[in-house]
Amino acid sequence: MTDTIEPTEPLEISDTPENALSWERTPYNADDYGPVTDWATDLDHADPGYNPNAPEVWKELRDSGCPVAHSDRYGGMWAPITHEAVHDVAYDTENFTSRSVVVTHLRPGDAAIPAPIGVVPPISSDPPFHGMARRLLLPPFAPKQIEPWEAEVQILCRRLLDEMGDVAPGDTVDAAVQYAQHIPVNVIGRMLGFPEEDEALFREFVHNTLETINAEPGTRRENFLKLDEYLDKQVQDHIDNPREDLTDYLLNVELGGEKLSPEHVRGSIVLLLIAGIDTTWSAIGSSLWHLAQTPSDLDRLGSEPEVMTFALEEFLRAYAPVTMARMVAKDVDFHGCPMKKDDWVLLPFPAANRDPRAFEDADEFIIDRESNRHAAFGLGIHRCLGSNLARLELKVAIEEFITRFPKFELAGDVTWSAGQIRGPRVLPVRILETT
């Protein structure tokens, strides 16, 4: 007989962070995720009414003197709305950790990959590891590596437009389902060396990761296991059959004289696969949604193609798709808000882009806006390392669509995404003119 306790396997879901992969600060109850009653005190970015009306929600909060919204959902969450508040969180790596960047009911426990590494490095990494992990991914996304993809994206966009068939004036196409959603998924899949026939599966992974954030925790766990199994299969195939692609790069690059751990490789692939698809897909769709309602801007892009240089940045500012998240690393008073350790903090960069104290006529889309230091690609150490690729895909996708269809308009109800990436998922447009 002894007084010792034998070690146990870490619990997958617990009510405390100790010895757990994931933990619940409050017991999950689906009834807690019903309709929002007050955006200032009950904000939920997964509410079906949020993304379609987000700019109006941000304006209402700012105008009412609420720079930081709050919610008891997800076990406690804050959401800074002003450019200043978003900036202050993004640059404060001491009080706000990037260990987990997608708000859900579950929080990472002590048995999960800890800071400063995190589960999807480098976006889930804190200093000093973040800088090292980020530098590893910079070479594949340098301008000289991305520029050759322009011709490939042009070919892809033209093929997608051809596959719509013989579209005549008066016909309706879905610019999201038939076009936008296919572009980044194809590009990222090819960069990683994954089978093109798995593109629908990639979109399923994106949906499960980013849009079902208030689903029952066990369901989310099962979805992640499916993603893990798929990636393990793809990584093993690359080990057995080496070739020159981004997955092989991750398998062979060294950090501190050693190859990356399997968890690091898989985590970085998850980041590229998930973040590289939904963000750009949403930006393309939102830009086409704007043009379908603003014929003057559509005409100007057609008659003055040089305006695209400015328009591209304005699309990114006005319709920035990405909201990241942080966790409070330790109790802190932030702009008068008593934030507690392990509270979630949303970072709505799109809201920062709409702050009139940071941008003149912030809620207006000005196609040739010249001064445009927007935060579409984030602020602070986690600024998007794939921005060169995203800009290229967005530019080519818009140019090819309006070249084929110089005039088009909205033709029905638009369905928007839910969660931290904002963009249209169904976008019916009526074609008024073809070439």
Side-chain angles (χ1 to χ4, degrees):
M1 180 74 72
T2 70
D3 294 328
T4 61
I5 298 176
E6 294 295 323
T8 58
E9 290 295 317
L11 299 174
E12 289 190 356
I13 299 177
S14 175
D15 57 1
T16 64
E18 292 79 15
N19 198 39
L21 289 173
S22 303
W23 68 287
E24 298 178 300
R25 180 185 261 183
T26 56
Y28 177 81
N29 185 342
D31 293 339
D32 293 339
Y33 298 96
V36 167
T37 57
D38 184 331
W39 292 111
T41 60
D42 186 39
L43 188 143
D44 188 352
H45 52 302
D47 184 286
Y50 180 75
N51 276 344
N53 306 291
E56 290 77 16
V57 171
W58 303 327
K59 185 177 187 304
E60 175 186 326
L61 290 170
R62 284 194 306 267
D63 290 351
S64 66
C66 177
V68 183
H70 181 261
S71 178
D72 289 329
R73 304 181 191 216
Y74 307 101
M77 179 181 74
W78 303 86
I81 299 301
T82 66
H83 190 283
E84 178 188 14
V86 171
H87 171 280
D88 289 351
V89 173
Y91 279 89
D92 186 350
T93 59
E94 178 181 350
N95 290 303
F96 303 99
T97 174
S98 299
R99 187 183 182 196
S100 189
V101 294
V102 177
V103 171
T104 69
H105 178 74
L106 295 177
R107 287 159 168 76
D110 293 344
I113 300 175
I117 300 173
V119 69
V120 283
I123 201 171
S124 63
S125 306
D126 293 332
F129 185 83
H130 166 267
M132 297 182 287
R134 180 180 174 86
R135 282 193 291 274
L136 292 179
L137 283 176
L138 289 177
F141 290 94
K144 288 186 178 180
Q145 297 298 318
I146 297 303
E147 287 169 4
W149 278 93
E150 181 167 3
E152 294 295 316
V153 178
Q154 287 176 334
I155 292 170
L156 169 63
C157 290
R158 291 168 186 174
R159 173 169 64 82
L160 292 170
L161 293 166
D162 290 341
E163 289 174 354
M164 293 179 185
D166 295 326
V167 179
D171 291 344
T172 297
V173 301
D174 192 320
V177 174
Q178 294 177 266
Y179 189 66
Q181 72 171 7
H182 296 280
I183 298 167
V185 73
N186 181 281
V187 173
I188 290 295
R190 289 167 62 189
M191 291 181 74
L192 288 167
F194 291 178
E196 187 172 346
E197 59 267 25
D198 290 345
E199 289 180 8
L201 189 58
F202 302 158
R203 287 190 290 271
E204 178 185 330
F205 291 147
V206 168
H207 172 76
N208 289 340
T209 301
L210 297 175
E211 297 202 65
T212 64
I213 55 174
N214 56 17
E216 191 274 326
T219 300
R220 283 189 61 81
R221 178 66 180 159
E222 289 300 317
N223 289 336
F224 278 111
L225 288 175
K226 184 177 180 180
L227 172 59
D228 287 347
E229 291 172 1
Y230 176 83
L231 294 181
D232 287 345
K233 177 182 176 182
Q234 295 304 321
V235 169
Q236 187 60 51
D237 182 61
H238 278 74
I239 294 172
D240 296 338
N241 305 284
R243 57 266 205 187
E244 293 185 5
D245 56 34
L246 196 47
T247 300
D248 261 34
Y249 172 82
L250 290 168
L251 286 169
N252 291 292
V253 72
E254 293 186 353
L255 177 63
E258 296 183 0
K259 291 186 177 181
L260 304 182
S261 69
E263 293 80 12
H264 190 152
V265 171
R266 185 169 63 185
S268 292
I269 292 175
V270 170
L271 168 62
L272 297 171
L273 188 65
I274 301 298
I277 290 174
D278 201 14
T279 54
T280 310
W281 162 14
S282 297
I284 294 169
S286 294
S287 301
L288 295 175
W289 174 77
H290 170 85
L291 293 173
Q293 302 172 91
T294 319
S296 59
D297 287 345
L298 181 57
D299 289 344
R300 193 163 179 194
L301 283 181
S303 61
E304 303 175 55
E306 66 276 8
V307 174
M308 178 59 81
T309 300
F310 303 101
L312 188 65
E313 301 307 315
E314 185 68 343
F315 284 128
L316 288 167
R317 183 197 70 84
Y319 303 111
V322 180
T323 291
M324 280 289 99
R326 301 285 186 269
M327 296 183 71
V328 179
K330 56 187 177 182
D331 291 2
V332 61
D333 184 280
F334 178 81
H335 288 239
C337 300
M339 297 184 177
K340 300 299 182 183
K341 184 180 184 299
D342 293 327
D343 281 353
W344 290 110
V345 182
L346 276 179
L347 277 185
F349 298 115
N353 285 343
R354 295 284 189 132
D355 188 339
R357 284 170 289 188
F359 295 90
E360 187 176 354
D361 299 318
D363 281 322
E364 291 186 32
F365 183 96
I366 301 174
I367 195 169
D368 55 2
R369 185 187 295 267
E370 294 187 11
S371 178
N372 203 344
R373 295 177 61 83
H374 60 73
F377 293 116
L379 295 167
I381 64 172
H382 290 295
R383 190 180 184 281
C384 176
L385 57 83
S387 59
N388 294 319
L389 178 61
R391 279 191 171 96
L392 184 151
E393 291 180 271
L394 179 59
K395 174 179 176 291
V396 173
I398 296 171
E399 288 176 340
E400 293 299 326
F401 195 89
I402 67 176
T403 296
R404 183 69 61 94
F405 305 128
K407 296 184 185 298
F408 55 91
E409 64 183 8
L410 281 183
D413 293 335
V414 176
T415 300
W416 289 80
S417 61
Q420 290 176 217
I421 308 298
R422 179 176 185 257
R425 292 293 172 267
V426 175
L427 181 56
V429 298
R430 182 176 299 105
I431 305 305
L432 304 178
E433 182 180 314
T434 65
T435 56

